[in-house]
Amino acid sequence: MASGRNGFPRGPNLRNSSSFKSKLPPSSAVRRSSPGALGAVSGRVRVAVRLRPQNAEELEADADFADCVELQPELKRLKLRKNNWDSDTYEFDEVLTEYASQKRVYEVVAKPVVESVLEGYNGTVMAYGQTGTGKTYTLGRLGDEDTSARGIMVRSLEDIFSNISQETDTVTVSYLQLYMETIQDLLNPANDNISIVEDQKTGDVSLPGATVVEIRDQQSFVELLRIGEAHRFAANTKLNTESSRSHAILMVQVRRSVLGRENDFTSEHDVSSNGVNSFKPPIIRKGKLVVVDLAGSERIHKSGSEGHMLEEAKSINLSLSALGKCINALAENSAHVPVRDSKLTRLLKDSFGGTSRTSLVITIGPSPRHRAETASTILFGQRAMKVENMLKIKEEFDYKSLSKRLEIQIEKLTAENERLQKACEDEVERIKLEAQKQISEAERDCAEALKEEKMKCQMDYMESIKQLEEKWMLNQTKHASNGFIGTSHAAEGGMPSGNDEVSELKKLLQNEVQQRKAAELEIKNLKDCLLKSMKPELAGGNADIFNLQKMLEEESQQRKKLEEEVIVLRHQLSQLTLEASQTTSCPDRSRTGNGFVGLDSVSSLRHLQFKDASDGERPSISNLHEKVGLHKILSLLESDDPNVRIHAVKVVANLAAEEANQAKIVEAGGLSSLLMLLRSYEDETIRRIAAGAVANLAMNEFNQELIMAQGGICLLAMTASDAEDPQTLRMVAGAVANLCGNDKLQTRLRSEGGIKALLGMVRSRHPDVLSQVARGIANFAKCESRAATQGTKHGRSLLIEDGALPWIVQNANNEASLIRRHVELALCHLAQHEVNANDLISGGALWELVRISRDCSRDDIRALACRTLTSSPTFVAELRRLRIEV
């Protein structure tokens, strides 16, 4: 039976023309591999030796001769026989017998390299040996018919695909051959002269002209191998029917996202984890695996090469010789390594003496006829074991992937925001429609109730007028029929009759008043019920509520008009009583017809109509104390009803906002009452409004001294320490900031905890609170600067002693312009006093002063900073030391 390529039995191989099938016996149990499976120090080239089994030709020709090699795999030794009684012993990292399986070979030779590639290192697996000793079988076997015969190339990619993420990691492949010192693309045969490019800085070698194919699965990789092997040069020699005439080089680039895999694991186990790590740039590790199937070395007289095959053999032997020279130079630590003698050595520059983890498998045959070639191969492996590589991991930040992920996140959040906004708009529209419906129903019910009540009142009123007219007519008729004859009798008996009518009229008026009060009470109850039912649902319907309230106010004005009509009735009643008495005393006037003047007046009441009361205006708050009385308003501050107390303090706060009212409030004891509210009440609303009123009063210098005299700063500090509401803190900070602007109160303000309270309120982080704090610090620093200029202030700033400087420096460049302006001004005022210079320098304020002198938007502050920096000897010396020009 003819021997196949590399001396193994013939069978289907990678190329259409030849392949072979392993007849090796099944392997025994294989131990699990690890990066240290070759048992050597990290960085050294690992070398394993593999013995090919005898083929049919050798079984026949060498039947009478012993094998030239003896393997001792348990000791990792190999003996090369010189003769029957003498032999040389060599040690390798691994010794593989002719019975070693392809899986065993992969795990001890290539798997540690593949694992290093997955961690971000470069790795090289290379096969070297005489032609026909099994290099291509070891590396490139596809194993279509027998999967256990798969070579290192196929198994390496299987391991890579099982350890990467298809979503975040990529694998690209290039397949080349070095034929007659030209680099050709096996995936694109038209690309037959690829140049080598070397980075001048790093020395890395690359092939930019080679075809690069991204693969996603094992099947596509196997198809690429088939395409490449079909284009590889091979020939039939005496030593091998399918002898490779070129060096095959498989380059696999593995690009892994380390952080992306951690995030995938986190998302599976903790869905709610959206921490800061998800927005860190992923770490990309780039590993390169190079699998080199060298063409076999051959002796011309044994291979029988001639013609073009002879030229191919010369080229192969020259490149292998150049590789051997480089290995010798590296093994001997020579200063010069001739890597430029061949393109093969240039391509393998990183594999020997570079940054790659390299594993070399040397293949030998058992035949004593080829002992010289076997010895040369063994010595090549021994020299390669002395080569040391410096392994370097290759990783970088993947900002492009992070940007893409953030864009996707932004799109998701934008879509979610739009969805929530649409849902919110729909909900608002639904509530609005429902509110409008309820408002219309309430308006209709209220209008009907008001209309019925109005009609009832009008009917009762007209009925009362009618009864009064009838009584009056009856009374006048009786007086007219009596004449002068019964004058004395009428004088005696008519008066009681008139008194009875007056009492009846009074009863009617009382009934009218009671009905009016009952109607008014019912209207009030209807209004209260309407407001209670509409309050939780009509948050968005303020305009409709306002219209309804306006209608109720108009009805109230009509009720007032009704009261006026009742007053008119009472006046008419008094007139009727007076005329009745006059008629009784002077009956002759009744005959003349003048006695009916009262009747005409009463009849004219039928034409009275309700007038619109919308022209009436409520007295303004500024004039309220004139109408009600300021003492009365202040007395309501002590009311037991919390609502009354809140309204009263609101009125006082609004009055205090006008400078004209402040003196009256203080004279009436309003300041003491407001401080009493801060001292005794825990209601947040009352304390907020009271603090605002105190802040308004504190704008006056005289009031500031009164506030301090009555312990106001202590109360404000206590309120600041207890309060959490930003608006309350804003009011308190505003009051303290106003007090900080008084030159006379500096020491006392600090001793009673005003500065500490001001700094304590920065915990709120609310811009309005921080703005008031910054204003107070600026006022205090300005007063200190003025006192230092006048010579009344000595020593360090009280602000610095109370620890305000770090906060000032931190907020000197605050995003809020109002905060930044106050802090910049405070910093300039502190710097004007020479005694503060060293503290400002040590606290980092000098840099902020330089920035203010250059970049401040306000000319006056910028000029003040420049003047301060140039006038202070301490600052000038420090700027000169730092070589900073102002």
Side-chain angles (χ1 to χ4, degrees), residues 101-121:
S101 67
Q102 291 281 71
K103 180 179 180 182
R104 168 69 175 166
V105 174
Y106 169 75
E107 288 182 342
V108 299
V109 174
K111 188 164 186 176
V113 178
V114 173
E115 291 174 350
S116 297
V117 170
L118 290 172
E119 293 173 0
Y121 297 94

Side-chain angles (χ1 to χ4, degrees), residues 594-613:
N594 293 336
F596 292 95
V597 175
L599 180 61
D600 295 335
S601 299
V602 176
S603 300
S604 65
L605 293 177
R606 295 180 179 179
H607 304 288
L608 291 177
Q609 298 179 354
F610 294 99
K611 298 181 180 179
D612 188 10

Side-chain angles (χ1 to χ4, degrees), residues 118-149:
L118 290 172
E119 293 173 0
Y121 297 94
N122 288 345
T124 302
V125 178
M126 187 168 63
Y128 179 89
Q130 183 188 7
T131 180
T133 54
K135 298 184 296 301
T136 303
Y137 177 84
T138 301
L139 297 181
R141 184 75 171 180
L142 293 181
D144 291 334
E145 297 180 0
D146 184 5
T147 57
S148 64

Side-chain angles (χ1 to χ4, degrees), residues 19 34 39 59 81 181 236 245 278 283 286 319 336 373 401 581 584 608 623-624 666 726 801 860 880:
S19 183
S34 64
L59 288 173
R81 289 192 180 93
E181 284 301 304
N236 185 6
R245 314 310 289 169
S278 61
I283 297 176
K286 297 180 178 180
S319 61
H336 173 67
E373 288 84 351
S401 175
S581 61
T584 305
L608 291 177
N623 299 325
L624 186 62
V666 174
E801 291 183 357
D860 55 341
R880 187 181 298 112

Side-chain angles (χ1 to χ4, degrees), residues 8 22 32 34 39 63 87 127 150 189 238 263 351 373 422 438 459 472 506 542 562 641 770 791 839 849 869:
F8 283 86
S22 172
R32 181 176 177 83
S34 64
S87 63
R150 289 167 298 161
K238 292 181 179 180
N263 287 344
S351 301
E373 288 84 351
K422 181 66 168 57
Q438 294 182 0
M459 292 299 294
W472 181 255
K506 287 182 178 180
N542 292 333
L562 187 60
D641 189 347
L770 297 181
D839 292 313
L849 287 170
L869 290 173

